[in-house]
Amino acid sequence: MTADSRWEHFHHGADIGVRGFGATKEEAFTAAALAMTAVITDPSHVAASTEVAIACEAPDDELLFADWLNALVYEMATRRMLFSRFKVIIEGRRLRGTVWGEPVDVIKHQPTVEVKGATYTELHVDQTENGEWRAQCVVDV
Amino acid sequence: MDTGQFQRIDEFTWEIPPRGAMRVPAIIYASEELIRDMDQKVYEQVTNVATLPGIVKASYAMPDAHWGYGFPIGGVAAFDPKAGGVVSAGGVGFDISCGVRALHTGLTRDDIEKVKTDLANQLARDIPAGLGSRGDIHLTDKEMQAMLSGGARWAVDRGYGEAADLERTEEQGCMQGALPEKVSAHAKKRQRNEMGTLGSGNHYLEVQHVAKVFDADIAAIYGIKEGDAMVSIHCGSRGLGHQIGTEFLKSMVVAAGKSGIELPDRELACAPIESDIGADYLGAMRAGINCALANRQIITHLTRGAFARILPQATLNMLYDVSHNTCKVETHKVNGGSMRLFVHRKGATRAFGPGHPDVPAPIRAGGQPVLIGGTMGTASYILAGTEESEARSFGSACHGAGRAMSRRAATKRWRGREVIDELGARGIVIRSPSARGVAEEAPGAYKDVTAVVDAADHAGLARKVARLEPIACIKG
């Protein structure tokens, strides 16, 4: 996270929206990933001790963003991990990511819900008038 | 929503006539109060569904409808394959075949009250719940294939439950037409260690008592009476279903562009039933249904084990198991003729009427049980499918209370510990690995389930049979 990057949650009737902002598209993607961890637990309680590589590809920025979050959902589910540090490189339709986290510890992390998947609801990747990037969607919990 | 946007057909039927790209009308069944409380997004989504190719009669929303993904949650739509009809991954949802299973216990409320804390502790120990929990079952590739083809029948063959359970499960516990080879390696990997786990969010296992019987005749057919103790299990196809939903959503969005289907919302991603991707999705989705049926069957077996330790006299026979996120091939009467349709129910329960051949013979005269999950502090309901619902909603009814408040708003308003203590003071024992999860699921965050089932009853979608109130709840 840089000084320009930040995240927030937004309202959805049954579930919850994750939104990341950043000076670059990559920063917005990583900030939104942190917002997704914050749906599950307090990210400051997740040690960035184990590294995992992520790769995805999609025909446009929005599908690529959903793919990125879904790749994280998959890694969280199959490795039983939570992530708190993210690095992303986007080249055209391809994304390469490195993420850091630790295995879920129910006592330490007090996980609230499992994220089932990133959806295409309220899915947007765009730049605001001042040039800031925004990446967001609703995640199904 | 503003009721001025609708043509009110009768007290509980609100229609939006076709306009623009809508091919059929949209119809919401609800009371005026429920319509006023619904999010405007329901209007948007129920009308968007009406634009999809091959839709028949109308796009419907049930009384518990709320803002979903593409389809509203509480949405029902049927498609004709001969008219270019589609199958939609968004129309089934991420948690394929999420549903509710109800079990008799052969015991009364009084029997449970004496030992409810011990029973809740035992159930919480024996049934894995919450994020990061794993079951004791670890499937090999070969067993995964067998589970995805066999559903609850596979589970019973492996010793999880009894053959009699299958007769009381939709599809007799095994969805035909499943194609396990169309389920990706990723989806299978996500499921490998998750069989027999409850999950999180709004999933639960609840011990309940029958607080009131509304229809004595149907209740007698179902074998329930006031004071009876019952068990209700709400969960779905776990990681496997979520992964199937995620992957086909993307491939259907990409394919829709190529096949010229205009999507008003990407989440409405769909493909012609008679296309390769449509057939692949149906095969994978049916395997997902089998996974959910197997999962609820294993949890039933674990529940019986927990009861056997605390209340060995319990019998735990099944009343019924019904799913509420599915696409099923069914024959319905349309304009005097018979049509084979692909009926999507997203957060909606099948509700076939008395005499329907798909309802198990011992309870067929009462109609199909419609199991409505409430909140851990209010009530759940058992309804019965009606003959009328066939004409009104392709034999469908509501599935739950529906959220009235977002998860975020709920955690700002309540703390998990307070919710647990308050319910404890009312005699309801809550066990959950997550206090924040309990706050998100606080009873006050949901709509009034009684208003929802009353609307379903008045609209003729299903008949109210019994009200069940919680004694103990294991939250995921």
Side-chain angles (χ1 to χ4, degrees), chain B residues 162-328:
Chain B
E162 300 151 13
D165 298 338
L166 302 176
E167 291 163 20
R168 295 296 186 108
T169 307
E170 230 182 331
E171 314 298 338
Q172 288 78 51
C174 176
M175 185 74 216
Q176 300 300 314
L179 299 172
E181 66 275 21
K182 299 298 178 189
V183 177
S184 73
H186 270 45
K188 289 170 181 163
K189 189 173 173 191
R190 255 179 100 168
Q191 192 59 26
R192 199 166 300 280
N193 301 312
E194 291 202 350
M195 293 310 295
T197 64
L198 204 52
S200 67
N202 62 1
H203 293 161
Y204 61 79
L205 183 150
E206 206 164 82
V207 183
Q208 307 164 329
H209 67 96
V210 179
K212 189 166 175 56
V213 165
F214 302 99
D215 188 314
D217 294 339
I218 300 178
I221 293 168
Y222 288 175
I224 52 181
K225 58 184 185 305
E226 284 176 19
D228 280 0
M230 297 191 72
V231 171
S232 179
I233 300 166
H234 177 219
C235 64
S237 50
R238 309 290 296 111
L240 181 123
H242 309 157
Q243 194 68 27
I244 293 171
T246 296
E247 291 169 5
F248 277 95
L249 189 63
K250 183 183 175 190
S251 46
M252 282 182 175
V253 163
V254 174
K258 288 178 188 160
S259 61
I261 297 176
E262 277 188 41
L263 298 174
D265 173 354
R266 280 181 147 183
E267 201 80 46
L268 274 179
C270 57
I273 292 159
E274 292 182 347
S275 68
D276 288 347
I277 184 172
D280 288 356
Y281 175 69
L282 284 165
M285 186 266 305
R286 288 166 182 157
I289 290 177
N290 280 332
C291 179
L293 296 177
N295 198 40
R296 288 198 288 274
Q297 184 64 41
I298 294 167
I299 293 174
T300 300
H301 178 71
L302 299 175
T303 304
R304 286 175 174 146
F307 266 80
R309 281 174 174 269
I310 308 295
L311 289 159
Q313 69 274 37
T315 48
L316 292 158
N317 294 322
M318 269 184 66
L319 169 60
Y320 201 58
D321 180 307
V322 67
S323 301
H324 47 232
N325 287 352
T326 59
C327 173
K328 297 259 177 93

